[in-house]
Amino acid sequence: MKRQARSRILLTIICFIFGAMLGFSYQHASKEASRREWRDGEWSKEYEYRSALLSLQKENRSLKQQLVQKQEELAAWEKKLSEKQESEAGLAEEAKQLRMYIGKARVKGKGVAVTLSDSSYIPSEASATDYIVHEQHVWSVVHELLISGAEAVAINGQRISHRSYIVCNGPVIEVDGTPHAAPFVISAIGNPDVLASALGLPGGVVDQLVEDHVDVKVEKQEAIVLDPIFAPKP
């Protein structure tokens, strides 16, 4: 009886220990499974984050490339616009010069004023027409001024153009049909030194005018204003 009791007690202890071991093993396995599940979830989230980051980086590189392309296109358009503006500015300046040359624009600048007057001394036995200013005298001055670089020319304040004409009509000279009496002041805008030097060359225009008994005075001026040519009224 004692032996059977001991065997039962021993068996009970063994069963208890075995049960405790099984319980411990189950708890440990449950914790490990929970940890493994948590770690798998973390890896899944990290993979998603990495994938999203790579996608954003790829999209960012694409946007940067597009930005560079747009900047290059903008620079090309700015260059074309600048060239167009320069071309338009050049055309505007050319148009301004043309209007000035044909007398359609008011101009102001340095230049010279050439005054032609009838001779103050006429011998009694000479013909008076040999001592007065004729159209060829005025034309010689105008022509010399133009070929010497004059930008605009006027006779007694009346602008002339490439189509102007000058004729004698008795005691006066007509410029494009408008009569003018002596003295004749021929104003020209341009380099004063160049224009004055061209007129005063030895054997040049001034010397020829003096030989024709025409009184000549050449003055350099700092500010000459010439009004445009106005169309005649019908």
Side-chain angles (χ1 to χ4, degrees):
M1 293 294 293
K2 291 182 180 179
R3 185 176 295 178
Q4 291 179 353
R6 289 179 182 176
S7 298
R8 289 177 181 176
I9 294 172
L10 180 61
L11 180 60
T12 301
I13 294 173
I14 291 173
C15 289
F16 177 78
I17 294 173
F18 183 71
M21 291 177 64
L22 287 175
F24 178 78
S25 298
Y26 176 78
Q27 292 180 356
H28 181 71
S30 297
K31 290 181 179 179
E32 288 295 327
S34 178
R35 291 177 181 176
R36 191 179 299 110
E37 182 179 356
W38 180 80
R39 290 176 182 174
D40 291 342
E42 285 294 313
W43 280 110
S44 178
K45 290 182 180 180
E46 185 176 354
Y47 176 77
E48 292 177 1
Y49 294 154
R50 287 180 180 272
S51 299
L53 179 60
L54 291 174
S55 178
L56 289 175
Q57 289 176 342
K58 183 178 180 180
E59 184 178 359
N60 190 31
R61 286 194 297 269
S62 176
L63 291 174
K64 284 183 178 179
Q65 292 176 355
Q66 293 180 21
L67 177 61
V68 171
Q69 182 180 359
K70 295 299 181 182
Q71 287 176 338
E72 291 176 352
E73 292 177 359
L74 178 61
W77 278 109
E78 287 177 344
K79 182 179 179 181
K80 289 182 180 180
L81 179 61
S82 176
E83 292 174 351
K84 182 179 180 181
Q85 289 176 340
E86 290 178 359
S87 176
E88 290 177 350
L91 291 174
E93 181 63 25
E94 184 178 352
K96 179 181 177 181
Q97 293 293 328
L98 289 174
R99 287 196 298 271
M100 180 178 65
Y101 288 139
I102 64 176
K104 296 299 183 181
R106 187 172 187 264
V107 291
K108 178 180 179 180
K110 297 180 179 181
V112 295
V114 183
T115 303
L116 305 182
S117 305
D118 297 337
S119 177
S120 57
Y121 172 75
I122 302 177
S124 57
E125 69 277 6
S127 173
T129 58
D130 294 335
Y131 290 83
I132 63 175
V133 181
H134 295 280
E135 77 268 20
Q136 65 267 24
H137 299 138
V138 177
W139 261 126
S140 64
V141 174
V142 171
H143 180 70
E144 185 65 32
L145 290 171
L146 290 174
I147 65 175
S148 300
E151 299 174 356
V153 178
I155 300 173
N156 286 358
Q158 180 180 346
R159 286 282 294 278
I160 64 172
S161 69
H162 62 289
R163 296 185 299 177
S164 294
Y165 63 91
I166 303 173
V167 294
C168 277
N169 187 6
V172 299
I173 288 178
E174 289 187 358
V175 180
D176 295 335
T178 302
H180 295 275
F184 304 100
V185 179
I186 305 170
S187 304
I189 292 178
N191 188 311
D193 296 329
V194 173
L195 298 179
S197 298
L199 293 170
L201 289 173
V205 174
V206 172
D207 287 349
Q208 294 174 10
L209 291 171
V210 172
E211 289 181 4
D212 288 345
H213 311 291
V214 175
D215 291 340
V216 185
K217 182 171 66 174
V218 179
E219 297 176 299
K220 298 179 183 179
Q221 296 187 351
E222 290 296 316
I224 297 176
V225 179
L226 301 181
D227 291 324
I229 297 175
F230 295 101
K233 296 182 180 179

